[in-house]
Amino acid sequence: QEIGATFSRFDDNWLTVLRNGMVEHAATIDGLSYQQEDAADDLAKQIDQVKNFVASGVDAIIVNIVDTSAGAAVSAAAGDTPLVYVNREPDNVNELPATQAFVASNEIESGTLSAFEICKNLRADGKGAGARGYLMNGQLSNQAAVQRSKDVHDVIGMDMCNFMTIIDEQTANWSRDEAQDLMTNWMSSGEPFDFVLANNDEMAIGAIQAMKAAGMDMADVQVGGVDASQDALLSMAAGDYDVTVFQDSVGQGTGSIDAALRLIAGEKVDQKVYIPFKLVTPANMGDFLDKN
Amino acid sequence: MSDIILKTENLTKHYGGVHALVDANFEMKKGEHVAIMGDNGAGKSTFVRQITGVEQRTSGKVWLYGDEVNFAGPLDAREAGIETVFQTLALADDLDVPDNLFLGREKTKFDWLGPFRFLDYKAMRQATMEGLERTGVKIPNIRNTIQNMSGGQRQCVAIARTATFASRLTIMDEPTAALGVQETAQVENIIRTLKKAGEPLILVSHNMRQVFDLVDRIVVFRRGRICANLDIKNGDHTGEDVVSYITGAKTGAEFEDAL
Amino acid sequence: MSDIILKTENLTKHYGGVHALVDANFEMKKGEHVAIMGDNGAGKSTFVRQITGVEQRTSGKVWLYGDEVNFAGPLDAREAGIETVFQTLALADDLDVPDNLFLGREKTKFDWLGPFRFLDYKAMRQATMEGLERTGVKIPNIRNTIQNMSGGQRQCVAIARTATFASRLTIMDEPTAALGVQETAQVENIIRTLKKAGEPLILVSHNMRQVFDLVDRIVVFRRGRICANLDIKNGDHTGEDVVSYITGAKTGAEFEDAL
Amino acid sequence: MTDTSHGTGGLTFDKTKRSWPNELNILFALFVIIAIFEVLGQMLPYMNDQSFLFDTRDRFDSIFNEARLKIIILQVAIIGIIALGVTQVIITAGIDLSSGPLVAATAMIAMSFGQTELVNGFANPKALFGPWAMDLPVIVPVVVGLAFGAFIGAINGTFIAYMRIPPFIATLGMFLICRGIALWWSGGNPISFPTDGFKWIGSGMMPVVWFLSLAVVFHVIMRYTVYGKHTYAIGSNEEAARMSGINVKRHKVTVYVIASMLAAFAGVVLAAKSETAQAGMGEFYELFAIAMAVIGGISLQGGRGSIIGTVLGAMVLGVIRSGFTYIKLDGSYQLMAMGSIIIAAILFDQYRQRNRA
Amino acid sequence: MTDTSHGTGGLTFDKTKRSWPNELNILFALFVIIAIFEVLGQMLPYMNDQSFLFDTRDRFDSIFNEARLKIIILQVAIIGIIALGVTQVIITAGIDLSSGPLVAATAMIAMSFGQTELVNGFANPKALFGPWAMDLPVIVPVVVGLAFGAFIGAINGTFIAYMRIPPFIATLGMFLICRGIALWWSGGNPISFPTDGFKWIGSGMMPVVWFLSLAVVFHVIMRYTVYGKHTYAIGSNEEAARMSGINVKRHKVTVYVIASMLAAFAGVVLAAKSETAQAGMGEFYELFAIAMAVIGGISLQGGRGSIIGTVLGAMVLGVIRSGFTYIKLDGSYQLMAMGSIIIAAILFDQYRQRNRA
Ligand SMILES: Nc1ncnc2c1ncn2[C@@H]1O[C@H](COP(=O)(O)OP(=O)(O)OP(=O)(O)O)[C@@H](O)[C@H]1O
Ligand SMILES: Nc1ncnc2c1ncn2[C@@H]1O[C@H](COP(=O)(O)OP(=O)(O)OP(=O)(O)O)[C@@H](O)[C@H]1O
Ligand SMILES: OC[C@H]1O[C@@H](O)[C@H](O)[C@@H](O)[C@H]1O
Ligand SMILES: [Mg+2]
Ligand SMILES: [Mg+2]
């Protein structure tokens, strides 16, 4: 069998973990030829890649969709060829034809878990009367970023956490380096703050590096992110990083390939599979060390 | 309207610290052919550029056919009837000969299409051949781009361009500098034809023989200023005379203060 | 080694369909000054470009001081001792006068720094002033960029560049085309100095007076071919004579087959 | 053999040795690239005797693999539309970096007037405006999009022509501004679910239809009209064009307006094709549009290049992309291979040109 | 008043009217931008009388807000290093698009020789090679990175100079190739946890130290050495440079090698600063490096521009970025404002230049 996969971008940290996991998993399956393409965050290119796969006659297609609101167009491009969405939930999830399925996570969980845990920690630190902090957005055009930031605002909107105030929120484009500069810029105003929430681990790490370079004590600041990458967990182990959220690459990756194989074989599959996010704190980080 | 077709008053141009043209007062009459002479860097081309709107003057005034003019650019000057062969020739290197000859006033079809009206390539090619023949230049293939033309061929294209269109004032800045013996003779004939037709001309030239053959009057520039105004129709002045004005050995009586 | 310092055999250059230079056989002796004349587009500059390695010839051979040469580029030609004033002048518009004069052979300090050796601006400026004075040109500010120079000033910079460096063969392609009366006289003096020093020269020119004043021999090009080779030292040939070769009214006996 | 019908004589001119149009080299390079993929397909062990362009599967029954032919051009059609405008800009010796973000901004703006009220009976979850903006005739979003493009182009052109801002800077500024507009328009949220009329613009092979018809129109314009001639003249020698009495400033504004309108139209087609508009769309499109033109033989110094060349340049990129999928090249190698092929194609072009000189 | 000490006479020359260096305009624009932020800071209601550049908080006790001064330049130092090379390339009338991806590829490659074996007592989870490549002296990754840069630059230069591939295409090809290399090197996985020695290269203000020292070196080189003069000559008129006997091809290769080595060094510094190397790094760096040079007054037609201009161009971008954070401008507005300010800065520069002519 032949499976073609297209990813929203190749040079993204977490997606690379997912992607490489899928290559490994595919290699263990006899007679499977597995091919992956980079959509470079270009929706039209991704639609065309799907069409290219069809023109080459692959047996199934796996899509990590660039834009979750483009489900209809992507689904249509595949025609009769079986298709599985991975990691991101397309908006047409309820209208998928029988030849299509999805295995993904729900981004409402990720940002909420992280922000809520920070809220609890701040209270525990005795800052329940008022805490101020910063929010770092991922790429502004990315829906995971938009959703995770919205999650943060929703958490702060809850009675229990409305003691938290966002001083400013800005994008650092998922990137550690930009996060360093952004954090340093924020700190140069001299304004005191109690927490930093980031849409992913890389930015949280960048913020931590900048704060440490400025001589801050990381015990005084709560830092939260998403992904549970290895760099993040080691930072947590060092006592710098407080909260992250585990996104299950193996679950999503193997799940999607297996679903594709079953679709090819004409078997019945669960059309919607949600792989849950899991909260990671210093208390349980040991469980996740070699996962992502 | 008086007889004066072009008049400048205290025309001045500075480039940063360089005073390239200072207080030039110049006049010419209907049908007159005037030569401008002077050393290299004396300000002759600068004078031409101010009159034709290629550059904006530092100060001074210009009248054309009695009206004060302030050209915002060369397009205005052309529309006012001034045709110029610039010393730099102003040719588009990547275009071929007919394209250059008709640049800015193409022969067209379907004119109602406005800017998208069609070019009449055939008519332009034909007119180009005729124009070039008047200059006597030989160009093996007019559809070659200008950058592939020899120095003299380029110059002839620029001259043909000017000679193809009627004008109220023709200006030629060293038009025969790069031309061969035959081509020079032809271009001089073109100038004579203009004279016969009563069309006025300003000729910038370093060629004494040519100037004496062709024009009525010589205006000499020195160090950015006009230093002599010599009527040569009646043989009062010799070539050596003119040279001594150019070199500064002599200065016209009315210009002595200036220098 | 014979007396012949430059020799070409069947030198030919085609540009696409244009046969710009065909079977040119040319020779010149030690110390000789030779003029090349011919109509616009006759192939004179093409001949110069083939000899100086600016272009790669279509066919034919070239010998310099007895050695067959195949210059890959103008750098080779210069290293072999050929100094050239090209018709296009080859100046860098954004650089100033001294920069252009010494382009490619700057005066430097700390030479052990290789390509990063330092420029001796002061020495170059001084040498530039001297070089320019020899051409008689007036340039108010040599630190202005070349694009701001008048036509004649540019040409003088190119000539000064050539005249500043000793050479085994000097080639000048219409060096005085844009020059004023005084500057032309000065440049002609430079050429006479070369003659006295025994340095050979090829002079491309349309100026009959100049050619008769300066050189020993005239080679005439017509339609890409050499059509005459006229020794003018002993007064056998007049200007009209030469013109009739240029126009095609006459052809040198030994070249009749060719045309 | 002396033939003077093309000139006033002088030298021998051999009419049979015409200059070889640059476009033929690119066409040739295109065929070579196709042939290489075809051969690779036969040689690579895991390819099971598939063919790149021909039909070897039982599923289909024609000579060519039509799906492949279609996708080759379909996938470059939208950037190709941008490239038609970029070509004109580059011929004036300018550059337009703003086209990619303009695609995104226009997609967002146009789509907000092209949404449908009901999606499968549910209210459109991504509706940006109220019901007044829903289910409008398709002409509305198209006109809005084009008007927006014209507006941006007029600003670009005015800055460049009248205020002498270097094109690189003016359009880089506009690059950032348009990205900003795209993000701000709906706060980063995608705008989805267009009307059927709007979808039609980008459905099936429509992007190709637009691309090729516009290419024909602009080929004619650039080659046979005054507009085209002046565009080349300005790029060849702006000062000469000005001295020849061309209204250089006004002309440049027109060129930038046309280029931006083409990019805006590409944005409309892209939104229709994807059935959604998103702020991140069109990333790197400006680079690829420029690349198409450059592969097509344009000179960034201005004065040279052609619409046909650009269309062929687009085809080269299209063939490469499909070819990679065909030979199952892994995504991480595709970039390296694409880079090498682009360089090789131009190398080949250079080589042929020199061998003819 | 006639002063001929700068020439051989002729016209009156007024020495006091020197030409106004372009760099001064940019410096001026820089101050204007700073002043605008300062004023905005006083005016915006939510700003609590903070100052942009001055110290108004009790925590600090100096005149200036040193933290701000530092970050302004720190955040542009790395792209600034690239821009030093890009400036040289553009002066030759070339362009280098490959620098951004080269940063990423070099970061990956260099970092694989700069990793440490133990992180907080854990084995380095991102170790790419075996123990032989761990805890090497810092010189190893640096030399490897620079060598890789020189190699890429030599390829760029050779294609451009000897095979006459247009710089845009050659470096666009290299853009894709380097992105590909970055992705392929470790299969896309980040490479993290460098040795302390390696970290030092990018720690604290070190990026600024590198940037400014390199700027001084290249300022001197471009202004006072043969290398610099030939670089300008080639960009001003390549044919004239060739006819004057400059070895244009060899020189161009040198320029591209230097530019790529600077970009490679920027990659090393970036990896050291972020303590990680990732394939997605350096995105858009090539554009911003070019922008710095262009804001600094370079002409893309070649022959003009300066290192000082580029450094000032970098400062303009740095001030804008910090200024936005300072006035808490929202992300989508930041892009629009950044675009407008870039255009305005150049507009201002043009205006001053014209008023002096
Ligand atoms: N844009 C400019 N910037 C600075 N100086 C300039 C500029 N243009 C011309 N000049 C200077 O002004 C003076 C006059 O130049 P102009 O071109 O008018 O001379 P010209 O009399 O036409 O000389 P030629 O006979 O050599 O053509 C020269 O010294 C020249 O260097
Ligand atoms: N690169 C080229 N491509 C095509 N034709 C060319 C090229 N270069 C020169 N020619 C043609 O070759 C012929 C000879 O040109 P060349 O420059 O040698 O003439 P020339 O004798 O120097 O004339 P002039 O006295 O005008 O300088 C001309 O007809 C010209 O159009
Ligand atoms: O789209 C890119 C983003 O995808 C998210 O799933 C991930 O958490 C982020 O770290 C970033 O990789
Ligand atoms: Mg002049
Ligand atoms: Mg010539």
Side-chain angles (χ1 to χ4, degrees), chain B residues 15 20 40-46 87 174 206, chain C residues 140 148 150 152-153, chain E residues 11:
Chain B
Y15 299 106
N40 292 125
K44 306 178 295 297
S45 301
T46 303
Q87 191 171 13
E174 306 194 24
H206 293 295
Chain C
N148 293 333
S150 81
Q153 288 169 337
Chain E
L11 302 173

Side-chain angles (χ1 to χ4, degrees), chain B residues 54 78 106 119 121 139 142, chain D residues 6 8 223 230 242 244:
Chain B
V54 170
R78 176 188 280 187
E106 295 76 7
L119 296 162
Y121 278 116
I139 296 184
I142 59 168
Chain D
H6 280 66
T8 53
R223 191 113 168 207
H230 287 189
R242 194 173 78 93
S244 308

Side-chain angles (χ1 to χ4, degrees), chain D residues 72-264:
Chain D
I72 283 180
I73 174 142
L74 181 60
Q75 68 194 341
V76 290
I78 291 178
I79 304 187
I81 294 173
I82 305 172
L84 298 178
V86 163
T87 300
Q88 299 171 49
V89 166
I90 296 179
I91 289 174
T92 69
I95 191 105
D96 188 356
L97 298 177
S98 64
S99 53
L102 177 56
V103 161
T106 312
M108 302 289 279
I109 294 174
M111 182 63 106
S112 13
F113 300 95
Q115 287 183 289
T116 184
E117 185 144 24
L118 290 181
V119 189
N120 304 327
F122 298 92
N124 185 335
K126 297 286 168 77
L128 185 68
F129 295 134
W132 62 270
M134 296 293 137
D135 293 311
L136 298 174
V138 58
I139 189 78
V140 177
V142 173
V143 167
V144 169
L146 290 180
F148 178 68
F151 173 69
I152 297 293
I155 299 181
N156 274 341
T158 306
F159 276 128
I160 291 163
Y162 288 92
M163 308 190 175
R164 292 190 236 163
I165 308 278
F168 191 93
I169 281 291
T171 60
L172 177 74
M174 199 48 93
F175 174 104
L176 297 168
I177 293 174
C178 283
R179 250 311 150 233
I181 294 177
L183 282 170
W184 157 81
W185 186 255
S186 65
N189 296 308
I191 309 178
S192 309
F193 306 113
T195 60
D196 288 340
F198 194 79
K199 274 188 209 164
W200 169 81
I201 298 176
S203 62
M205 292 300 278
M206 284 311 292
V208 174
V209 172
W210 301 124
F211 173 43
L212 294 184
S213 354
L214 286 166
V216 169
V217 169
F218 281 100
H219 169 70
V220 169
I221 287 183
M222 291 305 288
R223 191 113 168 207
Y224 299 106
T225 76
V226 170
Y227 169 88
K229 193 57 70 186
H230 287 189
T231 308
Y232 281 99
I234 289 173
S236 173
N237 185 342
E238 181 165 334
E239 188 57 16
R242 194 173 78 93
M243 286 171 126
S244 308
I246 293 177
N247 193 330
V248 172
K249 293 182 183 180
R250 203 178 56 199
H251 191 89
K252 277 195 184 174
V253 174
T254 314
V255 171
Y256 281 91
V257 167
I258 289 180
S260 289
M261 286 179 76
L262 283 165

Side-chain angles (χ1 to χ4, degrees), chain A residues 10 19 45 108 117 135 142 168 187 202 216-217 235:
Chain A
F10 264 30
R19 186 161 63 78
K45 187 171 182 183
I108 294 183
E117 185 67 13
L135 171 57
N142 181 293
D168 191 15
M187 287 187 295
E202 277 298 307
M216 284 183 63
D217 180 355
S235 175

Side-chain angles (χ1 to χ4, degrees), chain C residues 117-128:
Chain C
R117 64 195 181 279
F118 278 60
L119 295 163
D120 190 346
Y121 278 115
K122 217 174 132 201
M124 288 195 282
R125 272 203 290 274
Q126 203 155 339
T128 300

